[in-house]
Amino acid sequence: MIQNLAKIKHKDSPNFFLIAGPCAIENEDTPRRIAEKVLKLTDELNIPYIFKGSFRKANRSRIDSFSGIGDEKALKIIQQIGEEFDLPTTTDIHEPFHAEMAAAYVDVLQIPAFLVRQTDLVVAAAKTGKHVTLKKGQFLSPESMKFPVEKVTDSGNPNVAIIERGTMLGYGDLVVDYRGIPVMQKYAPVILDITHSLQQPNQASGVTGGKPELIETIAKAGIAVGADGIFIETHPDPAHAKSDGANMLQLDLLEDLLKKLVRVREAIL
Amino acid sequence: MIQNLAKIKHKDSPNFFLIAGPCAIENEDTPRRIAEKVLKLTDELNIPYIFKGSFRKANRSRIDSFSGIGDEKALKIIQQIGEEFDLPTTTDIHEPFHAEMAAAYVDVLQIPAFLVRQTDLVVAAAKTGKHVTLKKGQFLSPESMKFPVEKVTDSGNPNVAIIERGTMLGYGDLVVDYRGIPVMQKYAPVILDITHSLQQPNQASGVTGGKPELIETIAKAGIAVGADGIFIETHPDPAHAKSDGANMLQLDLLEDLLKKLVRVREAIL
Amino acid sequence: MIQNLAKIKHKDSPNFFLIAGPCAIENEDTPRRIAEKVLKLTDELNIPYIFKGSFRKANRSRIDSFSGIGDEKALKIIQQIGEEFDLPTTTDIHEPFHAEMAAAYVDVLQIPAFLVRQTDLVVAAAKTGKHVTLKKGQFLSPESMKFPVEKVTDSGNPNVAIIERGTMLGYGDLVVDYRGIPVMQKYAPVILDITHSLQQPNQASGVTGGKPELIETIAKAGIAVGADGIFIETHPDPAHAKSDGANMLQLDLLEDLLKKLVRVREAIL
Amino acid sequence: MIQNLAKIKHKDSPNFFLIAGPCAIENEDTPRRIAEKVLKLTDELNIPYIFKGSFRKANRSRIDSFSGIGDEKALKIIQQIGEEFDLPTTTDIHEPFHAEMAAAYVDVLQIPAFLVRQTDLVVAAAKTGKHVTLKKGQFLSPESMKFPVEKVTDSGNPNVAIIERGTMLGYGDLVVDYRGIPVMQKYAPVILDITHSLQQPNQASGVTGGKPELIETIAKAGIAVGADGIFIETHPDPAHAKSDGANMLQLDLLEDLLKKLVRVREAIL
């Protein structure tokens, strides 16, 4: 995927690439600090990097969950980060009209897992000409991701990747089916989302839980089986983040994680 | 739910109510014939009836699946059926702006299962003042349906119901967890969708399969446990329908099914 | 199944048959009182009845769980109950040598769900000539129960039935897949175990949990879809029973349950 | 686990250890050739090695599946291989009386996944004083493996390990939940069974299927997350093996696999 992505650095690195940033854009300063820190790390480690931030959280369990600071405001912050650090950027969209709106600010449009079967949304993203990442639905088999990929390519856009984020295992768990990574790589590059794959859905509180202590475990397995990229949400202070605090990696821990993953990557080349 | 629904007949019947019609509105004649036939049956059996038709199929697996005859055209057909037969009607919506559009034509707005976590969509439907039915996500526990219901009621709309349509059991099966029906009835009336609960998702062909020979089985179980309503897609010639042919009940078989369900209903009163 | 079972009463009743008794045989008195009470109820309701008790609990999660009062002692209590009340009886066996041992005391041998793939055990049970009930493994599809049934019939024993007791839904839930009941009835009569189908496995305490308030729900669904029999564990004081207290029905509540199920049964004939 | 295992070589190697051999002992020659070849490879790669062979297949789906050449005969072949090559050996047992019988021939007793909740069997194995490996039930959570481990240690035997072999994902798939490996390592060393984790259960034929092309994928993930050992069934000609042909690795491919796994192992130390 990254070969056609302008602005991305370390394109010829044998490493996996990285999509990282906060869950939601909560303010101007935090995402900027995250981007700066991740960029420094990925430059040192020779890892191609795409900055990620959500301009709007549209699918919270509860109506009183934080949903954003305003679409345009958040998108502009993402755009400024891309310009300031000369980085490609990505955000997720939730309705077809978001596609063109967000495409004015970012380089990669992400389709959320619950929405990956919505043809209008996928086609709208594809038609912007931007790169498209498709999160695998928690209810889809790896083989079924062939069809959303084709919705992008049949719309004339060859720049598509799949993000694995776990499969429903009963009501309370998601499990990454690593057998699916080589299967899906027949259709498109595969990125492992090591943040949302650890969610514990359907919690009684209406707030999705998580198991962040297992981030390293599921990330290493993903690199070992040959995932093309890693997606991670990170924050200087996850406990006080306004969304997904349960699973974001503390920013200070990212360096150690990436170094370990680079070593595993080297072992499979 | 039906107590506040204008136009519905047999309101005081001890029977379950029925939401029935074709999957998609493919033309003018077929849905009209279906409505006429179902109305006659439900009048004989004293069953409150809501006509159902989709104006647009937005979440097909494949890009080349049939998606509709035009939104406005299809909505007008549904409206005419409602007027001609003096029936309440319902359709499913896929984007927030659909809510107001569809509310001009129908009495009940249905939120699809994949989209039931999209706050903007649920709130937009609630704010039209129309009745709202929420399909339980295949990835949600019964307990988790409390939160989408609250998104409707917190928007000032008390007229909400839940439609059960099965839970993912691995990649290839949906299973109805009947334990969930009394659980969800604490939040809202529960309707059992006996068409989509029998889907076999993630088929290699990219076309969802089904087991229509089991319609009677899962419907009887639903009535026996006290479901408030039944949702069924029916068609005079399912094999030639443009969508969901794999699971629609042949219209000729509906009378026998309803009579059997009425008997089970009587046994639990 | 019951047509060839000596001693069973109400053979020509259109009702479902009943397998009921305590989980484990804890002493002499409690099972006797249970049998007496259930027999009285089933005589009034015209329900064929088989008394059930486990002589040994072999598969507890924890080593310190109650496992029994002694095999021979418990089997003799079951036998005496059968003789005193002129009732057919059943117990579950866990090793091939148990088959002949238990066959000296009871009329029906039950193969536990975890063990239904153990050929030696199933064949040993079949060769006693006693009736055999096979619990569907929580890990088996309905279609796969064809093979254990054939292990019985290929051993020359035609008297076999299947007991449905739920399918794993992730780690924490069992779900009854009612679609499987008509599927399995192609191979043998099907009995619904309304006690163990409500288990909540893999609890942190090492003691399996349950949802006994849902007994009526899953039982009604089973009768509505045409199950041939119902299996239930019942106890005068479940909270103080030595095993499976979490799911046994209080004996005082059995009459009401059976009356409701008889009404549902009548509705499907 | 291997620290207390007599005869095992390369005890101080930083590598994972290996349990490998054919599924069933079909004859004298094939297992001998397998042991010889694997021993040579593991000596070169500095991998501690335990020879594995089943003396009896007790849980086949179908009654006409191959079950063995005779218990004693097969156990003697395993013993001879252990003596000739000075190797520790292991086999699986299915009934409590097998424990002492098999303990006379092998060094490690393996409890099958379906049977891991059978207290009598686990305790009988533990009391032989041999090392015990417990396969995680396909229906158990990682946390629940604490209890079978305690059944071994409470019997006075500290030498116990857990073998992960996948969790039911619906009817047709097993999935390895890699999150469970560090969880279970709190209780005992964890070995990943890369043969049976790839099974496709509940096939219409009554013969369990598989996906052997994914062996490398799931093995690399296991080593990356820190599994202590790898369990693999291998055969010179899997297509003609009498059981589990669908998943055994061709013996010729083992060298390449082990070399790749050693590289991943080095990357995580």
Side-chain angles (χ1 to χ4, degrees):
Chain A
M1 166 177 139
I2 60 167
Q3 289 310 313
N4 302 323
L5 191 58
K7 295 203 282 180
I8 202 159
K9 289 171 220 162
H10 314 295
K11 231 181 229 184
D12 299 324
S13 163
N15 267 327
F16 57 90
F17 61 91
L18 181 70
I19 300 176
C23 177
I25 300 294
E26 308 168 2
N27 56 41
E28 205 165 325
D29 184 50
T30 313
R32 222 193 133 276
R33 280 166 53 205
I34 296 170
E36 186 173 24
K37 174 76 179 286
V38 179
L39 180 61
K40 190 167 163 288
L41 287 176
T42 53
D43 275 347
E44 286 166 14
L45 294 167
N46 199 24
I47 293 172
Y49 171 44
I50 301 164
F51 174 79
K52 179 265 160 190
S54 293
F55 69 90
R56 183 191 190 84
K57 305 310 298 180
N59 61 354
R60 304 294 89 180
S61 298
R62 297 169 54 136
I63 198 171
D64 57 358
S65 299
F66 173 77
S67 69
I69 59 169
D71 295 352
E72 195 110 9
K73 193 172 165 191
L75 283 166
K76 273 192 185 148
I77 292 172
I78 301 174
Q79 184 185 39
Q80 285 161 6
I81 288 171
E83 287 172 359
E84 179 178 351
F85 298 106
D86 194 26
L87 270 177
T89 58
T90 185
T91 199
D92 48 322
I93 62 173
H94 313 280
E95 299 182 46
F97 84 89
H98 286 170
E100 228 172 302
M101 179 178 89
Y105 299 94
V106 303
D107 305 291
V108 181
L109 296 174
Q110 175 193 308
I111 307 297
F114 289 149
L115 304 181
V116 74
R117 285 279 296 270
Q118 305 305 311
T119 304
D120 291 348
L121 180 65
V122 173
V123 170
K127 291 203 166 154
T128 63
K130 296 286 172 175
H131 283 61
V132 178
T133 53
L134 301 164
K135 286 218 173 176
K136 181 183 153 301
Q138 301 90 330
F139 42 81
L140 289 182
S141 68
E143 288 79 4
S144 292
M145 283 304 294
K146 184 183 176 208
F147 303 107
V149 167
E150 286 178 356
K151 289 178 185 176
V152 178
T153 54
D154 288 357
S155 301
N157 187 337
N159 295 311
V160 56
I162 296 166
I163 304 180
E164 161 70 29
R165 49 92 75 243
T167 296
M168 292 303 301
L169 181 67
Y171 292 125
D173 280 278
L174 287 165
V175 65
V176 177
D177 184 351
Y178 288 88
R179 299 175 307 169
I181 292 181
V183 169
M184 293 189 292
Q185 283 175 325
K186 286 183 237 160
Y187 318 134
V190 175
I191 300 151
L192 179 63
D193 174 348
I194 59 178
T195 298
H196 299 93
S197 293
L198 286 169
Q199 282 182 335
Q200 304 252 270
N202 290 312
Q203 300 300 300
S205 61
V207 178
T208 300
K211 298 198 167 181
E213 71 279 12
L214 291 170
I215 290 174
E216 184 178 319
T217 296
I218 66 153
K220 281 175 168 175
I223 295 298
V225 309
D228 300 282
I230 289 286
F231 173 110
I232 186 164
E233 290 181 355
T234 180
H235 193 278
D237 185 8
H240 293 92
K242 292 194 176 157
S243 67
D244 262 9
N247 278 306
M248 282 196 283
L249 182 73
Q250 199 181 314
L251 187 53
D252 281 350
L253 303 177
L254 185 61
E255 179 171 4
D256 180 61
L257 176 68
L258 290 178
K259 284 183 174 168
K260 285 173 173 165
L261 298 184
V262 166
R263 289 193 60 202
V264 175
R265 175 73 172 195
E266 287 165 356
I268 63 159
L269 293 178
Chain B
M1 164 177 141
I2 60 167
Q3 289 312 313
N4 302 324
L5 191 58
K7 294 202 283 182
I8 203 160
K9 290 170 218 161
H10 314 295
K11 232 180 229 185
D12 299 325
S13 163
N15 267 327
F16 56 90
F17 61 91
L18 180 70
I19 301 176
C23 177
I25 300 294
E26 310 167 2
N27 57 40
E28 205 165 324
D29 184 52
T30 313
R32 222 192 133 279
R33 280 167 51 207
I34 296 169
E36 185 173 26
K37 175 75 179 287
V38 179
L39 180 61
K40 192 167 162 288
L41 287 175
T42 53
D43 276 345
E44 286 166 15
L45 293 168
N46 199 23
I47 294 172
Y49 171 44
I50 301 165
F51 174 79
K52 179 266 160 190
S54 292
F55 69 90
R56 183 190 189 86
K57 306 308 298 180
N59 62 355
R60 305 294 89 182
S61 297
R62 296 169 53 137
I63 198 171
D64 57 358
S65 299
F66 173 76
S67 69
I69 59 169
D71 295 351
E72 194 109 9
K73 194 171 164 191
L75 283 166
K76 273 190 185 150
I77 292 172
I78 300 173
Q79 185 186 36
Q80 285 161 5
I81 289 170
E83 288 172 358
E84 179 177 351
F85 298 106
D86 194 27
L87 270 177
T89 57
T90 184
T91 198
D92 48 321
I93 62 173
H94 314 281
E95 299 182 46
F97 84 89
H98 286 171
E100 226 172 305
M101 179 177 88
Y105 299 95
V106 301
D107 305 291
V108 181
L109 296 174
Q110 174 191 308
I111 307 296
F114 289 149
L115 304 181
V116 75
R117 284 279 297 269
Q118 306 304 311
T119 304
D120 291 348
L121 180 64
V122 172
V123 170
K127 291 204 165 152
T128 63
K130 297 285 174 176
H131 283 61
V132 178
T133 54
L134 300 164
K135 286 218 173 177
K136 181 182 152 302
Q138 301 90 331
F139 41 83
L140 288 182
S141 67
E143 289 80 5
S144 292
M145 284 304 293
K146 183 182 176 208
F147 304 107
V149 167
E150 287 177 356
K151 290 178 184 176
V152 178
T153 54
D154 288 357
S155 301
N157 187 335
N159 295 310
V160 56
I162 296 167
I163 305 180
E164 161 70 30
R165 48 94 74 243
T167 296
M168 292 304 302
L169 181 68
Y171 293 126
D173 280 278
L174 287 165
V175 65
V176 176
D177 184 352
Y178 288 89
R179 299 174 307 169
I181 291 180
V183 169
M184 293 189 292
Q185 283 175 326
K186 285 182 241 162
Y187 318 134
V190 175
I191 300 151
L192 179 62
D193 173 349
I194 60 178
T195 298
H196 298 94
S197 293
L198 287 169
Q199 282 183 335
Q200 303 252 270
N202 290 312
Q203 300 299 301
S205 62
V207 178
T208 301
K211 298 197 167 181
E213 72 278 12
L214 292 169
I215 289 173
E216 184 179 318
T217 296
I218 67 153
K220 281 175 167 174
I223 295 299
V225 308
D228 300 281
I230 290 287
F231 172 110
I232 186 165
E233 290 180 356
T234 180
H235 193 277
D237 185 9
H240 293 92
K242 290 192 177 159
S243 68
D244 261 9
N247 279 305
M248 282 196 283
L249 182 73
Q250 199 182 314
L251 187 53
D252 281 349
L253 303 177
L254 185 61
E255 179 171 4
D256 180 61
L257 176 68
L258 290 178
K259 284 183 174 169
K260 285 173 172 165
L261 298 184
V262 166
R263 289 193 61 204
V264 176
R265 175 74 173 194
E266 287 164 355
I268 64 158
L269 293 178
Chain C
M1 162 175 140
I2 60 166
Q3 290 311 313
N4 301 323
L5 191 57
K7 297 200 282 181
I8 202 160
K9 289 171 220 161
H10 314 296
K11 230 181 231 184
D12 299 324
S13 163
N15 266 327
F16 57 90
F17 60 91
L18 180 70
I19 300 177
C23 177
I25 300 295
E26 308 168 2
N27 57 40
E28 205 164 324
D29 185 50
T30 313
R32 222 191 133 278
R33 280 166 53 207
I34 296 170
E36 186 173 24
K37 175 76 178 284
V38 179
L39 181 59
K40 190 166 163 289
L41 287 175
T42 52
D43 275 346
E44 285 165 15
L45 293 167
N46 199 22
I47 294 172
Y49 171 42
I50 301 164
F51 174 79
K52 179 265 159 191
S54 292
F55 68 90
R56 183 192 189 84
K57 306 309 298 179
N59 61 354
R60 305 294 89 182
S61 298
R62 296 169 53 136
I63 199 172
D64 57 358
S65 299
F66 173 77
S67 69
I69 59 169
D71 295 351
E72 195 109 8
K73 193 171 164 191
L75 284 166
K76 273 192 183 149
I77 293 172
I78 301 173
Q79 186 186 36
Q80 285 162 5
I81 289 171
E83 288 172 358
E84 179 177 351
F85 298 105
D86 194 26
L87 270 177
T89 58
T90 183
T91 199
D92 48 322
I93 62 172
H94 313 281
E95 299 183 45
F97 84 89
H98 286 170
E100 228 173 302
M101 179 178 89
Y105 298 95
V106 302
D107 305 291
V108 181
L109 297 173
Q110 174 191 309
I111 306 297
F114 289 149
L115 304 181
V116 73
R117 283 280 296 271
Q118 307 303 313
T119 304
D120 291 347
L121 181 65
V122 172
V123 170
K127 291 204 166 153
T128 63
K130 297 285 173 177
H131 283 60
V132 178
T133 53
L134 301 164
K135 286 219 173 174
K136 182 182 153 302
Q138 301 91 331
F139 42 82
L140 289 182
S141 67
E143 289 79 5
S144 291
M145 283 305 293
K146 185 182 176 209
F147 303 107
V149 167
E150 286 178 356
K151 289 179 185 176
V152 178
T153 54
D154 288 356
S155 301
N157 187 336
N159 295 311
V160 56
I162 296 168
I163 305 180
E164 162 70 30
R165 49 93 75 243
T167 296
M168 292 303 302
L169 180 67
Y171 292 126
D173 279 279
L174 287 165
V175 65
V176 177
D177 184 351
Y178 288 88
R179 300 174 307 169
I181 292 180
V183 169
M184 293 189 292
Q185 284 176 325
K186 287 183 238 159
Y187 318 134
V190 175
I191 300 151
L192 179 62
D193 173 349
I194 60 178
T195 298
H196 299 93
S197 293
L198 286 170
Q199 282 183 334
Q200 302 253 270
N202 290 311
Q203 300 299 300
S205 62
V207 177
T208 301
K211 298 198 167 181
E213 72 279 11
L214 292 169
I215 289 173
E216 184 178 318
T217 296
I218 66 153
K220 281 175 168 175
I223 295 299
V225 307
D228 300 281
I230 289 286
F231 173 110
I232 186 164
E233 290 181 356
T234 180
H235 193 277
D237 186 9
H240 293 93
K242 292 195 177 158
S243 66
D244 261 9
N247 279 306
M248 282 196 284
L249 182 73
Q250 200 182 312
L251 188 52
D252 281 349
L253 303 176
L254 186 60
E255 179 170 4
D256 179 62
L257 177 68
L258 290 178
K259 284 182 174 169
K260 286 173 172 164
L261 298 184
V262 166
R263 289 192 61 203
V264 176
R265 175 74 171 193
E266 286 165 356
I268 63 158
L269 293 178
Chain D
M1 167 176 138
I2 60 167
Q3 290 311 313
N4 301 324
L5 191 58
K7 295 203 283 182
I8 202 160
K9 289 170 220 164
H10 314 296
K11 231 180 231 185
D12 300 325
S13 163
N15 266 327
F16 57 90
F17 61 91
L18 180 70
I19 300 177
C23 177
I25 300 294
E26 309 168 0
N27 57 40
E28 204 165 326
D29 184 50
T30 313
R32 223 193 133 275
R33 280 166 52 205
I34 295 170
E36 186 173 24
K37 175 76 179 285
V38 178
L39 180 60
K40 191 166 163 289
L41 287 176
T42 52
D43 275 346
E44 286 165 14
L45 293 168
N46 199 23
I47 293 172
Y49 171 44
I50 300 165
F51 174 79
K52 179 266 161 189
S54 292
F55 68 90
R56 184 191 189 84
K57 304 310 299 180
N59 62 353
R60 304 295 88 182
S61 297
R62 296 169 53 136
I63 199 171
D64 57 358
S65 299
F66 172 76
S67 69
I69 59 170
D71 294 352
E72 194 110 9
K73 193 171 164 190
L75 284 166
K76 275 194 183 147
I77 292 172
I78 301 174
Q79 185 185 37
Q80 285 161 5
I81 288 170
E83 288 172 359
E84 179 177 351
F85 298 107
D86 194 27
L87 271 177
T89 57
T90 184
T91 199
D92 47 322
I93 63 172
H94 313 281
E95 299 182 46
F97 85 90
H98 286 171
E100 226 172 303
M101 179 177 89
Y105 299 96
V106 302
D107 305 291
V108 181
L109 297 174
Q110 175 192 307
I111 306 298
F114 289 149
L115 304 181
V116 74
R117 284 279 297 270
Q118 306 304 313
T119 305
D120 292 347
L121 180 65
V122 172
V123 170
K127 291 205 166 153
T128 64
K130 297 285 173 176
H131 283 61
V132 179
T133 53
L134 301 164
K135 286 217 173 176
K136 181 182 153 301
Q138 301 91 329
F139 42 83
L140 289 181
S141 67
E143 288 79 5
S144 291
M145 283 305 294
K146 184 183 176 207
F147 303 107
V149 167
E150 286 178 355
K151 289 178 185 176
V152 178
T153 55
D154 288 357
S155 302
N157 186 336
N159 294 310
V160 56
I162 296 167
I163 305 181
E164 160 71 30
R165 50 91 76 241
T167 295
M168 291 305 300
L169 181 67
Y171 293 126
D173 279 278
L174 287 165
V175 65
V176 177
D177 183 351
Y178 288 88
R179 300 174 307 170
I181 292 181
V183 168
M184 293 190 291
Q185 283 175 327
K186 287 183 238 160
Y187 318 133
V190 175
I191 300 151
L192 179 63
D193 173 349
I194 59 178
T195 298
H196 299 93
S197 294
L198 286 169
Q199 283 183 334
Q200 303 253 271
N202 290 312
Q203 300 299 301
S205 62
V207 178
T208 301
K211 298 198 167 180
E213 72 279 10
L214 291 170
I215 289 174
E216 184 178 318
T217 296
I218 66 153
K220 282 175 168 175
I223 294 299
V225 307
D228 301 281
I230 290 286
F231 173 110
I232 186 164
E233 291 181 355
T234 180
H235 193 279
D237 185 9
H240 293 92
K242 291 193 178 159
S243 67
D244 261 10
N247 278 307
M248 282 196 282
L249 183 72
Q250 199 181 315
L251 187 53
D252 281 350
L253 303 176
L254 185 61
E255 179 171 2
D256 179 60
L257 176 68
L258 291 177
K259 284 183 173 168
K260 285 172 173 165
L261 298 184
V262 167
R263 289 193 61 203
V264 176
R265 175 74 173 194
E266 287 165 355
I268 63 159
L269 293 178

